[in-house]
Amino acid sequence: MLTERQMLILQVIIDEFIETAHPIGSRAISKKGTIPYSAATIRNDMADLEEKGFLEKTHSSSGRIPSEKGYRYYVDHIAASISGQSDEYIIKDLIQDGFYEFEQIVQLSAEVLSELTNYTSIILGPEMMETKLKQIQMITLTPHTAVVILVTNTGHVEHRTFTIPSEINPSDLEKMVNIINHHLAGSPVISLPELFNSEIISMMKKYMDDFDQTYQYLKTAFLAEQPVKLYIGGVSNILMQPEFNDVEKIRTFLTMMEKEDEIATLLKQTDDGINVTIGQENEVEAIKDFSLITSTYRLDEGQHGTIALLGPTRMEYKRVISLLKVLSNEMTEALYMWYKNNG
Amino acid sequence: MLTERQMLILQVIIDEFIETAHPIGSRAISKKGTIPYSAATIRNDMADLEEKGFLEKTHSSSGRIPSEKGYRYYVDHIAASISGQSDEYIIKDLIQDGFYEFEQIVQLSAEVLSELTNYTSIILGPEMMETKLKQIQMITLTPHTAVVILVTNTGHVEHRTFTIPSEINPSDLEKMVNIINHHLAGSPVISLPELFNSEIISMMKKYMDDFDQTYQYLKTAFLAEQPVKLYIGGVSNILMQPEFNDVEKIRTFLTMMEKEDEIATLLKQTDDGINVTIGQENEVEAIKDFSLITSTYRLDEGQHGTIALLGPTRMEYKRVISLLKVLSNEMTEALYMWYKNNG
DNA sequence: GTTAGCACTCTTGGATAGCGAGTGCTAATT
DNA sequence: AATTAGCACTCGCTATCCAAGAGTGCTAAC
């Protein structure tokens, strides 16, 4: 479909545009020397490429810029093969350094990723899918307040403070917590609500006087939806990109970034491995002007999180893709080591 | 120092400028009717006000805008007396609704505050100053990993996951945790490091074989500096303000907002009650173009947090001040009720 | 198939002029 | 003595125009 030369021209244009964000003219390409043909020849090919939808003009006598279809072709046919190297060591060093806190490493990764690329990085914390309940603790603060702490096998901790109404007997609550620990420890967190209903209720009826209220209470206390944690890095970095020359664009972008739950659902839907969605390919209206590159990392079987970079469609695809590959591999490996060595 | 009329003029100009963000001319004031004098008279007074430093011109033939000194005068002499009403109920309703989670109410307050004002709100979580240790829990995840959970009497939970090196005997760690709970429960969190050194070390030497390592470990595990939590609301809201017409200003603002620790230290330094710092009065370079209004709320004796609104110097001082007054009172009261009723 | 040449298009930046809002001053009015 | 009307002057803002520059598309020549 595309001649050898046309492909080359497309590549040069995209590379150049990614760097400068300015439309590229035939003369400029010719002078660069990468393609040993005259401006006129290149001009003809460019006209063809435009006709086929890989290039666009901003106005009738401007240079060409890549269309989304052009980027797509570039990502699929051209950028795929190349791997970056220089960033690799930064990432590896980052992960190597001490690793006591999962959250720290993730937050740090998000920041470094953004710093390295000047795009916005978003890391979705591991989903609790296959996380298992390790233990529940209830600690009474005052006769009528308590904090319930839920610990998973991955070391994740959730807690919730609540008031104990006077109708409820604190010792009932304690009994209940014991029952839960005894019967549900080791169960996947995600199935807790269900198990709670099926297994625990009957148990409790035996042991407790005032069942209903206690039940309702504990239920809301720790079955409330547990938000997936989102680590966002360098929201201000992306504003360095020349496409944000317009105040209005910044506003819409930032407003979008504040809707963390939407972003989370978006990232959850990604497939395994590297994933590139360009402009209009994105289903979410708000990022139809952006490209989103995602990569998954795994903690344990079935348990995975997502690393993403959000930038303008004019993105350094080659570099970003290899960067995400390295990072997600390193994260997977680091986490694997952590579990296997210690487990 | 200022005549009655000059004060009135200053007030009208500031009120008007706060609303429109455009320089105000003498004719406009005269036509408004609030001041029954001709434009020329007002013009003379305005010249005086400028000479005294309360007003400025953007250029030689523009209308006047308030100077920072002008705002200061306004805040001290004019805005002080007035109290807003309409927002009051929103705040009260907000706080009234269920109150299980301290964090939730704070985050929500931050968002509402920003929504109501279109400034950026920052709430500093309560300092741990006088918070007391309730209990420490250690839960082993695998033979070589554990999570240490620290619970305070206010229901605040800190946790830290760490690896147990093979040199350390897990049962030693457990002993240690018991010792800590036994001896330090009820002690102020802030003095834990010190108490740890003075009281616990001797205890531990008696009971444990491999003291040194265990000690070092637990120490880093929960004496690491506990960051004060910062709740920021509506970073994108403030961009609605016309002073953010410039992309560069947005960039610097956002870059500043990402430095959470700096903001935290800034807010920690505030005195009790309402505090208004206007423009250059701010010590931190980055917000010398902004005004910061802070208010404190208290949890328990000695324990307090800060609510702040950050906006352009052209701020709705009257409204914001009364808003913060109401909110901090409501928060103080709600927290007070929570403790006393349940404690 | 490739290239040189040329007319045409469109953006960008600088220069200029006119308009409007506002001031400062002076002289007249109360 | 305080207030006001009148008027010249200043400055920013906008529109318009112009020239330069970059790039295209097409045609004709190589």
Side-chain angles (χ1 to χ4, degrees):
Chain A
M1 183 157 175
L2 289 191
T3 71
E4 196 71 15
R5 192 175 60 208
Q6 284 171 349
M7 240 175 91
L8 208 58
I9 290 175
L10 181 59
Q11 176 175 355
V12 170
I13 290 179
I14 295 187
D15 282 339
E16 193 73 16
F17 184 70
I18 283 175
E19 197 177 326
T20 65
H22 294 305
I24 321 294
S26 54
R27 208 176 121 77
I29 298 177
S30 168
K31 266 202 297 192
K32 251 192 111 217
T34 334
I35 296 162
Y37 291 93
S38 78
T41 311
I42 293 174
R43 208 149 49 227
N44 289 332
D45 277 338
M46 282 166 78
D48 283 358
L49 283 168
E50 182 174 4
E51 205 174 331
K52 287 176 184 154
F54 296 103
L55 293 179
E56 283 172 358
K57 280 189 286 198
T58 58
H59 57 89
S60 78
S61 78
S62 74
R64 303 301 207 294
I65 62 170
S67 70
E68 292 185 0
K69 187 176 170 190
Y71 284 124
R72 169 53 62 197
Y73 187 90
Y74 176 84
V75 169
D76 291 346
H77 296 79
I78 302 173
S81 51
I82 299 118
S83 80
Q85 325 96 321
S86 53
D87 302 320
E88 203 166 316
Y89 298 102
I90 301 180
I91 302 272
K92 286 192 172 163
D93 284 359
L94 168 72
I95 302 260
Q96 227 54 253
D97 289 351
F99 184 46
Y100 293 160
E101 282 272 15
F102 175 75
E103 310 230 329
Q104 277 171 14
I105 199 89
V106 175
Q107 183 63 56
L108 196 58
S109 300
E111 272 157 28
V112 170
L113 208 50
S114 172
E115 209 62 51
L116 241 39
T117 58
N118 273 338
Y119 306 131
T120 294
S121 67
I122 309 167
I123 303 190
L124 193 64
E127 284 203 76
M128 308 288 270
M129 284 300 188
E130 312 249 335
T131 320
K132 298 187 179 69
L133 175 64
K134 185 81 194 181
Q135 197 172 330
I136 288 188
Q137 294 265 335
M138 189 179 77
I139 295 170
T140 49
L141 301 172
T142 68
H144 292 98
T145 50
V147 43
V148 171
I149 303 175
L150 180 155
V151 184
T152 71
N153 65 332
T154 60
H156 185 83
V157 176
E158 289 280 339
H159 66 99
R160 193 162 291 265
T161 313
F162 66 103
T163 347
I164 311 171
S166 45
E167 312 92 73
I168 289 184
N169 187 343
S171 74
D172 277 355
L173 276 178
E174 239 167 272
K175 269 189 215 162
M176 198 149 180
V177 168
N178 285 335
I179 295 173
I180 293 174
N181 271 326
H182 198 253
H183 288 267
L184 296 190
S187 312
V189 170
I190 196 145
S191 58
L192 281 184
E194 193 189 322
L195 290 171
F196 201 83
N197 283 329
S198 62
E199 310 233 330
I200 300 297
I201 290 187
S202 54
M203 289 284 172
M204 288 191 312
K205 282 189 176 152
K206 283 188 208 162
Y207 294 107
M208 293 197 304
D209 312 332
D210 192 353
F211 163 71
D212 254 8
Q213 306 231 11
T214 321
Y215 168 71
Q216 287 304 336
Y217 241 77
L218 251 197
K219 197 173 174 185
T220 50
F222 78 100
L223 298 186
E225 203 164 318
Q226 299 183 5
V228 186
K229 184 94 169 93
L230 214 56
Y231 304 83
I232 297 182
V235 176
S236 72
N237 278 347
I238 202 179
L239 303 184
M240 296 291 157
Q241 301 295 340
E243 11 280 287
F244 285 95
N245 50 8
D246 183 7
V247 180
E248 205 42 52
K249 281 182 197 147
I250 299 186
R251 288 201 184 121
T252 38
F253 178 75
L254 288 175
T255 315
M256 175 191 76
M257 289 306 290
E258 284 185 354
K259 293 178 192 149
E260 297 212 346
D261 41 345
E262 276 185 35
I263 297 175
T265 19
L266 178 68
L267 290 193
K268 273 186 201 163
Q269 297 162 357
T270 55
D271 299 336
D272 263 24
I274 299 276
N275 237 284
V276 183
T277 25
I278 299 166
Q280 301 288 327
E281 294 172 11
N282 283 298
E283 283 173 23
V284 175
E285 190 60 33
I287 62 167
K288 281 202 190 302
D289 280 339
F290 297 87
S291 282
L292 182 70
I293 306 192
T294 63
S295 177
T296 45
Y297 66 90
R298 340 195 108 273
L299 259 101
D300 214 349
E301 302 150 40
Q303 205 186 145
H304 69 284
T306 307
I307 312 177
L309 268 173
L310 184 64
T313 47
R314 179 190 65 82
M315 218 182 185
E316 290 184 273
Y317 292 99
K318 286 182 195 170
R319 181 152 167 259
V320 166
I321 288 173
S322 81
L323 208 52
L324 282 188
K325 268 186 192 160
V326 173
L327 182 59
S328 53
N329 283 342
E330 289 295 316
M331 276 180 70
T332 304
E333 195 172 322
L335 290 164
Y336 180 82
M337 296 294 272
W338 194 68
Y339 281 110
K340 294 309 166 190
N341 277 353
N342 302 319
Chain B
M1 183 155 175
L2 289 191
T3 70
E4 196 71 15
R5 192 175 60 210
Q6 284 171 349
M7 242 177 88
L8 208 59
I9 291 175
L10 181 59
Q11 176 175 355
V12 170
I13 290 179
I14 295 187
D15 282 338
E16 192 73 16
F17 184 70
I18 283 175
E19 197 175 329
T20 65
H22 293 304
I24 321 295
S26 54
R27 211 177 119 77
I29 299 177
S30 168
K31 266 203 294 192
K32 253 193 108 212
T34 334
I35 296 160
Y37 289 94
S38 78
T41 311
I42 292 174
R43 208 146 51 227
N44 290 331
D45 277 338
M46 282 165 79
D48 283 358
L49 284 167
E50 182 177 2
E51 204 174 332
K52 287 178 184 155
F54 296 103
L55 294 179
E56 283 173 359
K57 278 188 287 195
T58 58
H59 57 89
S60 78
S61 78
S62 73
R64 302 300 207 296
I65 62 171
S67 69
E68 293 186 357
K69 187 176 170 189
Y71 284 124
R72 169 52 62 196
Y73 188 90
Y74 176 84
V75 168
D76 291 345
H77 295 79
I78 303 172
S81 52
I82 300 117
S83 81
Q85 325 95 324
S86 54
D87 302 319
E88 205 167 314
Y89 298 101
I90 303 180
I91 301 274
K92 285 192 174 164
D93 283 358
L94 168 72
I95 302 258
Q96 227 54 252
D97 289 350
F99 184 47
Y100 293 160
E101 283 271 16
F102 174 74
E103 310 230 330
Q104 278 172 13
I105 197 90
V106 175
Q107 183 64 55
L108 195 60
S109 300
E111 272 156 27
V112 169
L113 208 50
S114 172
E115 209 62 52
L116 241 41
T117 58
N118 274 337
Y119 307 130
T120 294
S121 67
I122 309 166
I123 303 191
L124 192 65
E127 283 203 76
M128 308 287 270
M129 284 303 189
E130 313 249 333
T131 321
K132 299 189 179 66
L133 174 66
K134 185 80 194 181
Q135 195 171 333
I136 287 188
Q137 293 265 334
M138 189 178 76
I139 295 170
T140 50
L141 301 172
T142 69
H144 293 97
T145 50
V147 44
V148 171
I149 302 174
L150 180 153
V151 184
T152 70
N153 65 330
T154 59
H156 185 83
V157 176
E158 289 279 339
H159 65 99
R160 190 163 293 264
T161 313
F162 67 103
T163 346
I164 311 173
S166 44
E167 312 93 73
I168 289 184
N169 186 344
S171 75
D172 276 355
L173 276 177
E174 239 168 90
K175 270 189 216 162
M176 199 149 178
V177 168
N178 284 336
I179 294 173
I180 293 173
N181 271 325
H182 197 253
H183 288 267
L184 297 190
S187 312
V189 170
I190 196 145
S191 58
L192 280 184
E194 192 191 322
L195 290 171
F196 202 83
N197 283 329
S198 62
E199 309 233 331
I200 301 296
I201 290 185
S202 54
M203 290 283 173
M204 289 193 310
K205 280 187 177 153
K206 282 187 210 163
Y207 294 106
M208 293 197 301
D209 312 331
D210 193 355
F211 163 70
D212 255 7
Q213 306 230 13
T214 321
Y215 167 69
Q216 287 303 337
Y217 242 78
L218 251 197
K219 196 173 173 184
T220 51
F222 77 101
L223 298 186
E225 204 164 315
Q226 299 183 6
V228 185
K229 184 93 169 93
L230 214 56
Y231 305 83
I232 297 182
V235 176
S236 72
N237 277 347
I238 201 178
L239 303 184
M240 296 292 158
Q241 301 295 339
E243 11 278 288
F244 285 95
N245 51 7
D246 182 6
V247 179
E248 204 43 52
K249 281 182 197 146
I250 299 186
R251 286 198 186 123
T252 37
F253 178 74
L254 288 175
T255 315
M256 174 191 77
M257 291 306 290
E258 284 184 354
K259 294 179 194 151
E260 297 211 346
D261 41 346
E262 275 185 37
I263 298 175
T265 21
L266 177 68
L267 291 194
K268 273 185 201 165
Q269 299 162 358
T270 55
D271 299 336
D272 264 24
I274 299 276
N275 237 283
V276 183
T277 27
I278 299 165
Q280 301 288 328
E281 293 172 10
N282 283 297
E283 284 175 19
V284 176
E285 192 58 36
I287 62 169
K288 284 202 188 301
D289 280 340
F290 298 87
S291 281
L292 182 70
I293 306 193
T294 64
S295 177
T296 46
Y297 64 90
R298 340 197 109 271
L299 260 101
D300 212 351
E301 302 151 39
Q303 208 187 141
H304 69 284
T306 308
I307 312 176
L309 269 173
L310 184 63
T313 47
R314 179 190 64 82
M315 219 181 185
E316 289 183 273
Y317 293 98
K318 286 183 196 168
R319 181 153 167 258
V320 166
I321 289 174
S322 80
L323 208 52
L324 282 188
K325 268 186 193 162
V326 173
L327 182 60
S328 53
N329 282 343
E330 288 296 315
M331 277 180 69
T332 304
E333 194 172 325
L335 289 164
Y336 181 82
M337 295 294 272
W338 195 68
Y339 280 108
K340 294 309 167 190
N341 278 351
N342 302 318

